[in-house]
Amino acid sequence: MLVITVAILLLWFTPVIIPLKILIVFFHELSHALAAWLTGGSVDSISISPQMGGTTVTRGGNVFLQMSAGYLGSLLIGVLLFLGAVRSHADRIMMAGLGVVMLLIAALYIRDGFALAFIVGGGVLMLVAARFLSRDVNDLVLRVVGLTSMIYVPMDIFSDTIARSELRSDRGGRGNSDQLLRWIDL
């Protein structure tokens, strides 16, 4: 775990880690969507950008829980992926499950080109990895993704609240009369 964490931190500001960061942004946006669904709301769309930003458009549900869910959810996803990899031998099943979830979300909620290509490509790669790569390779990938998700949360909170405090991030804004809620994470 220490070796993976050090490697992630050493590569943090390099282009090598950007695809992982974008995947974690997807987890963040997916967490907003999950909170909407779990509190009786609906999701209109989810988007991510190459600049590591994202947007989730929801209707209804508990606004406070939806706002809180981005960081908490991506942290929880990271912990679950990491612990699942460490404590089980179901790495290929977990990888395939994650790939299927990504493809379902892409089919149902993602409409823009970059996000669609990234999420579909990532989902397909995960299914291919689950099918053709060894359990050990899948285990390593899940550990790296899980740790990156856990590391990303405090780094992004620092970036949003201190380093780039002048920009909007995870602040909901009321739209039209049907209580359209739009999450903008830059």
Side-chain angles (χ1 to χ4, degrees):
M1 180 171 137
L2 182 60
V3 171
I4 296 170
T5 302
V6 169
I8 291 168
L9 291 174
L10 288 174
L11 294 170
W12 194 259
F13 296 105
T14 69
V16 172
I17 202 119
I18 289 175
L20 273 174
K21 288 180 176 181
I22 295 171
L23 178 63
I24 306 314
V25 170
F26 170 71
F27 292 163
H28 180 103
E29 297 306 324
L30 180 60
S31 298
H32 288 307
L34 288 169
W37 292 319
L38 291 172
T39 61
S42 63
V43 175
D44 289 347
S45 66
I46 297 172
S47 182
I48 55 173
S49 75
Q51 293 79 29
M52 294 172 281
T55 306
T56 299
V57 179
T58 66
R59 293 178 189 274
N62 185 297
V63 174
F64 175 76
L65 292 178
Q66 289 177 50
M67 288 185 74
S68 304
Y71 293 121
L72 294 175
S74 58
L75 179 63
L76 181 61
I77 289 168
V79 168
L80 291 173
L81 289 174
F82 183 79
L83 288 178
V86 169
R87 296 187 177 198
S88 81
H89 293 289
D91 303 293
R92 295 171 107 178
I93 294 168
M94 288 175 51
M95 185 70 78
L98 189 54
V100 167
V101 166
M102 290 177 70
L103 292 174
L104 284 172
I105 295 300
L108 296 172
Y109 299 104
I110 297 182
R111 304 289 175 261
D112 63 278
F114 172 80
L116 194 58
F118 184 88
I119 299 305
V120 168
V124 168
L125 283 174
M126 288 179 182
L127 289 173
V128 168
R131 173 68 178 98
F132 296 107
L133 299 180
S134 71
R135 186 197 67 80
D136 290 339
V137 172
N138 281 279
D139 182 83
L140 178 61
V141 171
L142 290 169
R143 287 178 190 218
V144 168
V145 170
L147 280 171
T148 304
S149 191
M150 290 186 278
I151 292 168
Y152 193 85
V153 170
M155 298 287 275
D156 197 41
I157 290 172
F158 171 80
S159 175
D160 287 348
T161 60
I162 296 170
R164 302 176 312 129
S165 61
E166 73 281 359
L167 299 176
R168 284 186 61 190
S169 179
D170 277 343
R171 295 182 190 144
R174 293 285 179 185
N176 59 25
S177 61
D178 2 312
Q179 303 295 313
L180 177 67
L181 185 61
R182 183 178 189 97
W183 301 105
I184 301 175
D185 303 314
L186 299 171

